[in-house]
Amino acid sequence: MTSQVSSPATEHRVLGEQRKPAKETRRLDRVIIRFAGDSGDGMQLTGDRFTSETASFGNDLSTLPNFPAEIRAPAGTLPGVSSFQLHFADHDILTPGDAPNVLVAMNPAALKANTGDLPRGAEIIVNTDEFTKRAMAKVGYAASPLEDGSLDAFAVHPVPLTTLTVEALKEFELSRKEAERSKNMFALGLLSWLYHRPTEGTEAFLRKKFAKKPQLAEANVAAFRAGWNFGETTEDFAVSYEVAPASNAFPAGLYRNISGNLALSYGLVAASKQADLPLFLGSYPITPASDILHELSRHKNFGVRTFQAEDEIAGIGAALGAAFGGALAVTTTSGPGVALKSETIGLAVSLELPLLVIDIQRGGPSTGLPTKTEQADLLQAMYGRNGEAPVPIVAPSTPADCFDAAVEAARIALAYRTPVFLLSDGYLANGSEPWRIPEIDDLPDLRVQFATAPNHEGPGGEREFWPYLRDPETLARPWAVPGTPGLEHRIGGIEKQDGTGNISYDPANHDFMVRTRQAKIDGIAVPELTVDDPSGQARTLVIGWGSTYGPITAAVRRIRGAGGAVAQAHLRHLNPFPRNLGDVLGRYEKVVVPEMNLGQLAHLLRAKYLVDARSYTQVTGLPFKAEQLADAISDSIQEESADV
C-alpha cells in the first residue's frame, strides 16, 4: 500500500481487507454511461479508456461513439458536442443502450444536447466551472439549468472538474491551459471509483501515450488518481456501484475489446494469410473508413501493402491492378467514394478478378453526414453500375462480426473471381464489443491455384491459354499472374469472347457473357437463412441486415419477455440471397423490415419474392433504440391479431 506506483484502486482493495469501505456499495446488473463535451475535451479517449478497463474486468459491453459532423465546430456550441456512450452488464447485451443512467456533461452544450435522452432519476455529473453566462447564452440557456429547477427530475452532482484538476496538478510545471486539458482524466478517475473499474491499465496507457513527455504523463496520472480520490472522499457520492463480470455470457476462450474497423482490418490480414497471398489496400481517406487504412499500414510484417492514393478512382485502380498481379486486393471507402469507384468496379466485373470493396456507410446524399451512421448504400451496391454488372454483397451484424464478414467476403472473391461488396457502417465501425479471438485452425483455407500452363488445345493441336475457360462448378475463370510464360492474354473493359477473351461485338456472345456472369453470382454457395422462432407460434417475422441486428434482437427479447410471439431472421448475404429465403418469408403472415434507410431491403424483398414486406425506417444518423423497435413490432403483432 505504501508503494508510490500503486493505483488508488489497489490501495482501496488493500484497505478493504482491513476494514469495511466507508461508503455503501450497491450491486447493479447493468449501467449505461454517456460522456459528453466539446470535441476537444477528450470524450472519445475517456470513453475508450473506461471501455478498455470494463472489458478487462470481464463485463459484456457495447459502445456508441458520436462525433461532431464538422472537423472543428465552434467550441461550446451544440454542433460541436462529442459523446461516447457505453453499456456494460453482468449478462449478454446487444446494444449501447437506449437511455443513459449517467451523463457526464463537461459544459452547457453537452448538457443541453443530451438531457432529452435521460430517463427520470438519471444521474448527471456536471462540470460547474464551464457554466458561465457566456457559455450558457451560446446554447440558449437564459438562466442556469443548475439553479432554475429544470433538472429536478434528475440526481445532479455539481463538480468543479476544471478547478479540481488544476489544483491537483499544482506541483507540475504546467500552464493553466495545459492543466485544464487533464480534466477528462479527473472525470475518468471519478467514474472509475464510482463503478469499481480497474485502474492499472489506464495508468500504464497514459505513461505509454505520453512516454516522450514524462511530466505530462505523470500529470495525467495524477489527475486520474485525484478523480478517484475525490469520489472516495466527497460527501456528494455516498454510494458506489458494482457490476459483476459477465461470466456466463461468453463461451470459453480468449477475449479482447474490439471496434468494427479494427476487427475488419484483422479479418483482412487473416484472409490474406489463409489465402497465402499478399494483401494490398488502395485507398483514399474518407470518414468513417479511414481507420482501416491507418490500421493496415501498421502490418507490413504480415505482407500488407497500403497505398494512399490521390483520389478514390486512383485507389481502386491500383487495387484492381494488384488483383491482376495476384494479390488479395482491397479498396476502402464510404458512400460518396463508391459512386466514384463505380466504373472501375464494373471493369472488375468484366475482368472477373477478385477485389474487395469495403463500404463503411454514412449518412447521405452527397457528403451528407460524414460522422453519422446509415444503411442507405444497399441499392447502390446492388445496382450502381452501368450495364448488367452483378456483385456479391456481404454485411456484418456486429463490430466483432466484421472480422468474420471480411474473411467471408475474401472467400467469395477468391473462389468465384469477382469483386465483392462488404457493407459495414459508422455504427459498427466505431462501436466496440468483446471479441473472442479465433483459433487459426478454425479459419477457412482460402488458398487458390493460379494458372500455370495453357489450358486449351487449338485447332492445330497447339496448346493455348483461354482466360475465360471456366470452372464448371463455380464458373470462375483462371487467374493468371502476369509474366507467366505462355499465359499472355487480353484485358480491358470491352466485351470478351467466351473462352478466348478476345474482343467481341457479337450479339449472341454478349448475351451469353451477361447471363454467365449473372449465373456465377447466383450460384455462389452461401449458408441457408436461420430463423429464431422458439415458440413456433409466431406469425410475424422481423428480418434485418447489417448493424440493425443488435437493436432488433434486443427488441425481440423484450417482446418475448412480455409474452409475445415473434420470429427473427438476419441476413448476412444480400446478393445472392440465401436459397431458402423465399420459403422463410412465405411461412409468416407479416414481415417487418427495420432499416436505417427508406426501405431498400424491403423493396428488394417485395420485388423478388412478392411478399408484403413492411418497412420500419429511420434516417436520423443514429442507430435504432430497442424500445422504439419493440413498440413498432408489437403494433404490427396487434394489427395481425385484430385482422384475425
Side-chain angles (χ1 to χ4, degrees), residues 528-546:
E528 289 198 341
L529 182 65
T530 58
V531 180
D532 178 24
D533 185 5
S535 72
Q537 304 299 315
R539 297 201 305 232
T540 295
L541 171 70
V542 184
I543 188 167
W545 66 280

Side-chain angles (χ1 to χ4, degrees), residues 231-249:
E232 176 77 352
T233 58
T234 183
E235 295 181 2
D236 195 32
F237 293 93
V239 178
S240 64
Y241 303 94
E242 286 186 348
V243 180
S247 54
N248 297 322

Side-chain angles (χ1 to χ4, degrees), residues 132-456:
T132 63
K133 288 184 178 180
R134 181 180 179 186
M136 290 187 291
K138 193 179 289 188
V139 295
Y141 281 131
S144 173
L146 307 180
E147 300 171 356
D148 64 5
S150 60
L151 301 178
D152 287 349
F154 311 110
V156 179
H157 302 277
V159 181
L161 289 172
T162 306
T163 299
L164 291 171
T165 302
V166 172
E167 181 68 22
L169 302 186
K170 269 187 175 180
E171 64 181 275
F172 298 91
E173 296 179 0
L174 299 175
S175 67
R176 180 177 177 86
K177 186 175 182 180
E178 288 175 324
E180 287 179 356
R181 288 175 180 164
S182 297
K183 63 181 180 289
N184 64 323
M185 288 298 103
F186 188 101
L188 178 59
L190 173 57
L191 269 293
S192 297
W193 171 84
L194 190 60
Y195 290 100
H196 295 213
R197 298 296 91 186
T199 60
E200 294 85 352
T202 292
E203 293 191 11
F205 168 83
L206 290 171
R207 290 191 172 99
K208 182 178 180 181
K209 179 178 177 64
F210 299 106
K212 295 182 179 179
K213 298 180 179 180
Q215 185 185 40
L216 196 56
E218 293 309 314
N220 276 279
V221 170
F224 176 68
R225 290 182 173 183
W228 196 96
N229 289 325
F230 178 79
E232 176 77 352
T233 58
T234 183
E235 295 181 2
D236 195 32
F237 293 93
V239 178
S240 64
Y241 303 94
E242 286 186 348
V243 180
S247 54
N248 297 322
F250 309 114
L254 181 62
Y255 287 81
R256 60 156 293 169
N257 183 50
I258 201 165
S259 68
N261 273 352
L262 183 58
L264 204 157
S265 301
Y266 288 175
L268 293 174
V269 174
S272 75
K273 301 308 290 184
Q274 292 302 105
D276 197 21
L277 296 174
L279 178 64
F280 179 90
L281 172 66
S283 182
Y284 180 75
I286 183 172
T287 302
S290 301
D291 286 343
I292 302 172
L293 171 61
H294 300 158
E295 181 60 34
L296 288 180
S297 68
R298 299 186 177 105
H299 297 294
K300 298 180 180 65
N301 56 313
F302 287 116
V304 179
R305 298 179 184 177
T306 54
F307 170 55
Q308 181 174 320
E310 64 269 28
D311 56 39
E312 296 281 5
I313 298 171
I316 190 172
L320 185 57
F324 179 61
L328 176 58
V330 184
T331 189
T332 54
T333 188
S334 190
V338 173
L340 292 167
K341 296 177 188 291
S342 62
E343 182 179 5
T344 307
I345 297 172
L347 176 59
V349 172
S350 178
L351 296 180
E352 301 188 44
L353 287 171
L355 173 67
L356 301 185
V357 182
I358 312 294
D359 177 7
I360 313 297
Q361 300 165 94
R362 71 190 206 188
S366 189
T367 45
L369 306 173
T371 62
K372 309 301 179 182
T373 195
E374 205 162 276
Q375 286 184 299
D377 293 348
L378 176 55
L379 293 183
Q380 180 179 216
M382 188 77 77
Y383 300 120
R385 295 162 294 283
N386 67 294
E388 296 288 344
V391 174
I393 303 172
V394 176
S397 57
T398 70
D401 186 48
C402 289
F403 178 92
D404 294 323
V407 173
E408 173 66 357
R411 176 192 73 84
I412 293 172
L414 294 170
Y416 295 88
R417 312 286 196 271
T418 177
V420 177
F421 263 101
L422 191 154
L423 293 184
S424 180
D425 59 42
Y427 173 37
L428 296 182
N430 297 316
S432 61
E433 65 177 354
W435 172 56
R436 184 176 183 269
I437 300 173
E439 298 291 337
I440 294 177
D441 292 343
D442 294 337
L443 297 175
D445 185 348
L446 302 181
R447 287 174 295 183
V448 297
Q449 295 295 323
F450 289 110
T452 57
N455 58 3
H456 182 75

